[in-house]
Amino acid sequence: MAASRRAGGPPARRDTECILEPLSLPESPGGVAAVEGSPYVPCIFCKECYLLAEQKQLLKHMIIEHKLVIADVKLVADFRRYILHWKRRFAEQPVTDFCSVIRTNSEAPLEEQDNYFLLCDVLPEDRLLREQLQQKRLREVLEQQQRERYDTSFHSMCMFCDQEFTGNRSVLLNHMAREHAFNIGLPDNIVNCYEFLAVLQGKLDNLQCLYCEKVFRDKNTLKDHMRKKQHRRINAKNKEYDKFYVINYLEFGKSWEEVQSEDDRELLDNLEEDWSDWEEHPVCAVCLFCEQQADTTEKLYLHMQKSHGFDFPKIKSEHGLNFYRQVKLVNFIRREIHHCRCYNCQEKFQSKEGLISHMEETKHIRLLPARSMWDQPQYYFPTYENDTLLCTLSDSEDLITEDQSEDGPVVSEDISNLKALKQSSVLNQLLYKEEKNREEF
């Protein structure tokens, strides 16, 4: 060792110069990592980079600094790959080889004129690129949808009742449509379901209506608003939801509304076809006392009369029930049965079967309680949101209510002498009767 040092050999390598971590060379903006992993999108002409979410800022920068306008950006399926492609191509050839030149202020002096460059799908290369990106995105979306369709590890909570669901996403979506009248579409038409539900849940957590997108002061107010206004649905005009529906990826350069309108036009063109074999699916109504369903009110009334001894048409006629009172009566009975409580004696039971057995044996099922119990404004609201029976109720043409008479013509009173009218008006008699009833009550 001493001889080699005297001979002028290289000094021994120091341990302190060892490389303990892997090193990486800087990659060009157009590299593979920039396409797949980087959250940034570079400017086509310079080194400026923007986050993918800052797409509008990048487009503004290219217009102001480089006079470049990209047409129909919203129809570009993969914005990052699109920009990287043209960054590479503009480095190879002049921009005028690809873009149309638009001159502004053409009548002004030369020094005040500006040339803008328009990049659009009129150029065959640009259109081909857009179609390829669209097809690639469609393949990715269909693969993701296929994975979600057969995924059995799905786990999420219902947004309206906090019930937990596991297995397949369709179980939760069908539950919300059936139990809460909240239908966002068929499960097979939806992609990225987890993200979609997270977006909707986030809006509800922020006390925002999903349809009109108004913000409310508390959860109960929001819940009542969405129920009463029938806003348990999403706003189809909100572009934020477009990425969660497969239809938006199907055709290049078309939104779901354009695809839908084309389908509607095809239906209008085929109106002259023979529809004689068309059969409308009947709407089934459920019995007031059990789970029996019928496709007509006549069948349902017959079932309730034979199986339970409850004759709805007879009760309706005897008590002179108009449409609104029928609605209140049905909702009252539904609520009492739901609470397993007899609506005549108010006795509670552990199960619905025990309640019905008691009501049939005591014949309480045939008798209505005092009108003051069920003829209340609160029973205008349905006990069950999907109660089809309410949609089939109607006034009978020969129904004569308590306040009506067959031979009771309406005669106008003479209002020339108001003082005498106030003393002799029939309203005084009605008011007297009302006050007397209150005193007795």
Side-chain angles (χ1 to χ4, degrees):
M1 292 289 291
S4 64
R5 285 177 183 172
R6 287 195 297 270
R13 181 176 298 173
R14 299 177 182 177
D15 292 340
T16 56
E17 296 178 348
C18 294
I19 299 175
L20 302 179
E21 297 180 356
L23 303 179
S24 298
L25 292 172
E27 297 183 353
S28 64
V32 176
V35 175
E36 302 295 341
S38 174
Y40 291 93
V41 182
C43 171
I44 291 179
F45 297 96
C46 65
K47 296 182 179 180
E48 288 288 327
C49 288
Y50 293 81
L51 289 170
L52 184 58
E54 301 173 340
Q55 174 179 320
K56 291 183 179 180
Q57 285 83 344
L58 173 57
L59 294 172
K60 181 179 179 181
H61 162 79
M62 290 193 293
I63 292 175
I64 296 175
E65 300 296 332
H66 307 290
K67 314 295 184 186
L68 178 69
V69 179
I70 301 177
D72 296 324
V73 178
K74 64 180 181 179
L75 299 181
V76 176
D78 193 324
F79 182 70
R80 182 192 288 116
R81 284 192 174 96
Y82 181 84
I83 293 295
L84 291 172
H85 171 87
W86 286 115
K87 184 176 181 69
R88 177 178 57 82
R89 293 291 286 132
F90 284 4
E92 298 171 352
Q93 296 177 234
V95 64
T96 51
D97 288 354
F98 306 103
C99 299
S100 303
V101 179
I102 302 175
R103 177 169 296 175
T104 61
N105 299 328
S106 57
E107 297 181 357
L110 188 61
E111 61 273 10
E112 296 180 9
Q113 297 180 8
D114 281 325
N115 288 336
Y116 283 84
F117 305 99
L118 177 63
L119 182 61
C120 62
D121 60 1
V122 174
L123 180 71
E125 182 178 349
D126 185 90
R127 180 167 185 81
L128 179 61
L129 173 63
R130 294 180 185 228
E131 290 177 349
Q132 290 175 344
L133 294 176
Q134 178 80 7
Q135 292 168 4
K136 180 176 177 61
R137 175 59 57 86
L138 177 59
R139 286 195 299 271
E140 294 172 350
V141 166
L142 292 178
E143 290 172 0
Q144 174 65 22
Q145 184 206 30
Q146 191 76 355
R147 287 191 293 268
E148 292 181 12
R149 287 179 64 185
Y150 297 102
D151 179 26
T152 57
S153 62
F154 179 85
H155 179 270
S156 186
M157 305 283 289
C158 175
M159 295 183 290
F160 301 101
C161 66
D162 293 334
Q163 187 175 344
E164 186 176 2
F165 291 87
T166 57
N168 190 272
R169 61 181 184 166
S170 61
V171 180
L172 171 59
L173 298 181
N174 291 333
H175 161 81
M176 291 194 296
R178 183 176 60 253
E179 301 297 332
H180 305 290
F182 180 71
N183 189 358
I184 58 175
L186 296 175
D188 286 348
N189 295 339
I190 295 174
V191 69
N192 297 319
C193 188
Y194 268 122
E195 184 183 353
F196 194 6
L197 293 175
V199 169
L200 298 176
Q201 186 64 59
K203 290 182 180 291
L204 293 178
D205 292 342
N206 292 329
L207 305 178
Q208 185 178 24
C209 174
L210 298 178
Y211 182 73
C212 67
E213 301 181 346
K214 293 180 180 178
V215 178
F216 294 83
R217 65 177 181 271
D218 55 58
K219 191 172 183 180
N220 288 332
T221 306
L222 170 63
K223 183 178 179 181
D224 289 343
H225 161 81
M226 293 180 66
R227 176 176 60 83
K228 293 178 181 178
K229 296 291 185 180
Q230 297 184 350
H231 281 190
R232 281 191 175 177
R233 48 190 172 134
I234 64 172
N235 186 355
K237 300 296 183 181
N238 190 336
K239 300 299 182 183
E240 182 182 6
Y241 303 132
D242 286 357
K243 63 180 180 179
F244 301 116
Y245 292 92
V246 176
I247 191 174
N248 291 301
Y249 301 91
L250 294 182
E251 293 193 45
F252 170 69
K254 292 182 181 178
S255 65
W256 69 269
E257 291 175 312
E258 292 171 322
V259 174
Q260 185 67 47
S261 64
E262 288 180 357
D263 293 342
D264 292 342
R265 284 196 295 270
E266 289 180 3
L267 288 175
L268 292 174
D269 293 339
N270 297 329
L271 282 179
E272 296 182 359
E273 294 182 3
D274 183 16
W275 291 82
S276 58
D277 58 343
W278 171 263
E279 292 184 4
E280 185 176 0
H281 294 286
V283 178
C284 292
V286 182
C287 173
L288 292 171
F289 309 101
C290 67
E291 305 299 325
Q292 179 67 33
Q293 297 185 19
D295 55 4
T296 65
T297 52
E298 290 77 11
K299 292 180 181 178
L300 186 64
Y301 293 158
L302 185 61
H303 158 77
M304 289 193 290
Q305 181 182 355
K306 289 187 175 181
S307 300
H308 307 292
F310 184 83
D311 192 341
F312 190 87
K314 182 179 179 181
I315 291 174
K316 169 180 159 183
S317 177
E318 289 180 349
H319 293 266
L321 303 183
N322 60 19
F323 170 76
Y324 296 104
R325 283 176 176 162
Q326 291 177 59
V327 167
K328 287 190 278 190
L329 178 60
V330 168
N331 289 329
F332 167 77
I333 294 176
R334 293 277 196 208
R335 182 167 297 191
E336 295 299 294
I337 300 300
H338 175 74
H339 290 304
C340 295
R341 182 169 55 222
C342 176
Y343 53 69
N344 259 294
C345 65
Q346 296 298 300
E347 183 179 352
K348 290 205 68 173
F349 294 83
Q350 295 295 324
S351 65
K352 185 185 287 188
E353 291 75 14
L355 166 65
I356 301 303
S357 177
H358 156 79
M359 295 181 69
E360 291 176 351
E361 290 174 0
T362 59
K363 297 186 173 20
H364 285 182
I365 202 168
R366 302 182 180 183
L367 306 174
L368 290 188
R371 176 168 290 183
S372 58
M373 289 187 63
W374 56 267
D375 195 0
Q376 300 292 333
Q378 69 189 60
Y379 296 115
Y380 278 126
F381 302 101
T383 302
Y384 296 97
E385 293 180 341
N386 58 344
D387 191 351
T388 312
L389 178 58
L390 297 174
C391 303
T392 64
L393 300 176
S394 62
D395 285 326
S396 297
E397 294 180 359
D398 57 345
L399 182 64
I400 301 175
T401 64
E402 299 173 344
D403 303 325
Q404 293 176 332
S405 174
E406 290 182 350
D407 301 315
V410 177
V411 179
S412 62
E413 294 179 311
D414 184 10
I415 61 173
S416 59
N417 190 340
L418 290 178
K419 185 176 180 179
L421 175 61
K422 289 180 180 179
Q423 294 175 353
S424 62
S425 176
V426 293
L427 293 176
N428 292 326
Q429 301 175 18
L430 296 176
L431 289 172
Y432 173 76
K433 291 180 181 179
E434 182 67 22
E435 290 174 358
K436 189 176 180 180
N437 292 333
R438 287 181 181 176
E439 291 174 359
E440 293 176 354
F441 181 75

